[in-house]
Amino acid sequence: MSTTKERLAVRGMACAACSSRLERMLSGLDGVSATSVNLATETAEVSFDPERLGIKDLEQTVRDAGFTPERLTPEGPSDFEIQQAETRSRLAELKKRLTMSALFSAPLLVLSMGHMVGLPLPHWLSPMHAPRAFALAQLTLTLPVLWFCRHFYLAGFPNLWRRTPNMDSLVALGTGAAVAMSLWTLAGMLLGPDPASGAHDLYFESAVVLLTLITLGKFQETRARSRTSDAVKGLLDLTPKMATRLEGDREVLVPVAEVRAGDLLLVRPGERLCVDGEVVAGQSSLDESMLTGEPLPVTRGPGQAVRAGTLNQEGSLTITALKVGRDTLLSRIVQLVREAQGSKAPMANLADRVSLYFVPAVMAVAVLSGAAWALFSSEPAAFGLKIFVSVLVIACPCAMGLAVPTAIMVGTGRGARLGVLIKSGLALETASRIRAVVLDKTGTLTVGRPEVASVLPEPGLGREEFLGLIAGAERPSEHPLARAVVRAAEEEGLALPQAEEFLALPGLGVRARVGGRAVLAGNRALLEQEQVTGLPALAPAALFEAGQTVLWAAVDNAFAGLLSVADRLREESAEVVAGLKAQGIRVVMLTGDVEAAARIIARQAGVDEVRAGVLPDRKAEVIAEIKAQGLPTAMVGDGINDAPALALADLGVAMGSGIDIAIESGDMVLMRPDLRGLLTALALSRAVVRNMRQNLFWAFAFNVLGIPVAAGVLHLFGGPTLSPMLAGGAMAASSVMVVTNALRLRFFKP
């Protein structure tokens, strides 16, 4: 069965009950294999069989659920851009609605309750002397607020008819009941003989103030949620809007959207690059911290790759555009972060299951408690209405639906800022439980390329002369050891003469004539075969004890000295291994290298457990063995030959030495070649999961404690009741508190 995946923007979800219900409806469609609906990002991701289902069917299901779908296509605006535009529009609308509601709610509150706190009303408006005018004035101030907040009724009541109630339904029922009761009382006052008797049974102010408070809460919640994507917005803002394109001898300023692969671009000091490309001319230091988290600038010159979003600090660069628009590394990172923010963590399943049945249960509790107080207590009938409204409005499940997604959004965004690309909420939650870490040796614990460690020329031959001759002979060779020798000579600024009569001898080394002198470089067997004079019996034992490869050299058929080459241990490896051990995490080194060499590197890094001689296709077996021992296991590799092991591990962490390849591998990517990013990733995951638990605790605790109080349980024992206005304020505060708590993750420091 073929499967395709579609992402839809979903507008109109008010609470966790909405997202849970929509997810259930989409999952029930024939042909759908997986569904994830996220309240915080307002998106739905659906995997389905295109032969049995179409995108139109998905969109119609969203509409049937009472929401508005919008397809997210690669050609159109990204879901982030759509969401940002929607959020700005919603904030403006909420601000207008809140302002107008407050303008009418404030005088209504003074009118209805001012005399209770020493604010006398004029005689013509007094409830004792002019009760009809008093009641009609309240109605006059109530109607505009009902109009400005009509959304609650236009969305809430239809959801009731569809038997899919949500937060809007609770608000509509609660405030609607208060308004209906007040209108009934008003009718009695207008038509009855004793209008003053009903003046204190009006609840217009409860409904109006409640609507205003809930609108205030939604405004604060939306404003807070808009800040959860600050990290993504910061990444997007790194790409400039204009670029300088070179057209012959002319410099033309063009919008970045018009730049195409193959264009020549000029990047001046202080400007950011808008494309991924290659330097053609010039040399400069680039700040790449926004991509890798590495604070130190790096030098880039002709022939070297550069990335969109990086900041040119010094000289001018001429670059060829290779990848533009959504194909750049920066855009791909942003997209992966957005997908992670829209993903779910297993911890969210509990909130989803509860939310699905929560609203109907709350409605039942509200009806039963209100009816019980009205029918079986000595309190007036209006007291039952007050209980009914309070229970409905305090029990909004918004906080439940936001508890986990907002923490994931902020956490993944913060990770991107710290150079850790986290691909899903599942990866975050899994990383917090890791008890074993398997580290690949080459490219993970070590730098990943051979480097010259020692240069030991014979007496009478200068170090620079010796290194220059050997590097000149090795220059035509493509062998990794030869490349290391040439690189060392170039880094020391040595001029390398052209090699003549070059001959590579497989399994032995090379022979060449450099500057008129015959040079041999390779293993001891090569020099013995060529009957080199002055050959010592052994190389220094210290070189072998350090795990270095020894290169023997001869000049003009006489022994000239030794070079040793080694894959250097990363500076931070020992620190990271010690940090993992301090957390009680089992550390294993996995390598295809021979046992002796592997043990040397392991000893330097502080790793006690070594699995050597393991080929790439067998590494997954080691992962399976450790997992079978009941330990949640992370595999850390370079993302190239470790793919099977990365896939099998509970958590695959790819080193970003080659970001283009690593970004496609594993559940997390360390975007710079620094193993300390692993400690950052694990610490961040624990902080995010801790934040999720805090949010869920407060969301559930709020309802567990708030609903009984609103239902009048304390009043049974002579305690206070909860007024609808306080209930509405508390409900709004719970959602704002959850989002604000998640926003603390923006300041996480490893």
Side-chain angles (χ1 to χ4, degrees), residues 627-680:
K627 286 176 63 178
Q629 298 171 17
L631 296 175
T633 303
M635 170 68 192
V636 187
D638 59 14
I640 303 171
N641 63 350
D642 298 313
L646 287 168
L648 185 62
D650 295 300
L651 180 73
V653 182
M655 290 287 289
S657 304
I659 293 180
D660 285 308
I661 299 172
I663 203 171
E664 308 298 339
S665 306
D667 305 300
M668 291 185 175
V669 179
L670 309 183
M671 293 194 290
R672 55 174 166 153
D674 188 330
L675 201 54
R676 280 178 292 234
L678 176 62
L679 295 179
T680 298

Side-chain angles (χ1 to χ4, degrees), residues 421-434:
L421 182 58
I422 303 163
K423 293 189 177 181
S424 69
L426 174 60
L428 265 174
E429 191 167 334
T430 301
S432 71
R433 298 183 286 105
I434 291 300

Side-chain angles (χ1 to χ4, degrees), residues 41 50 87 90 107 141 159 187 199 232-233 252 333 473 582 610 646 692:
T41 58
T87 299
R90 188 182 310 163
L141 291 170
N159 281 329
V232 175
K233 184 176 184 298
V252 182
I333 289 173
V610 178
L646 287 168
M692 291 180 194

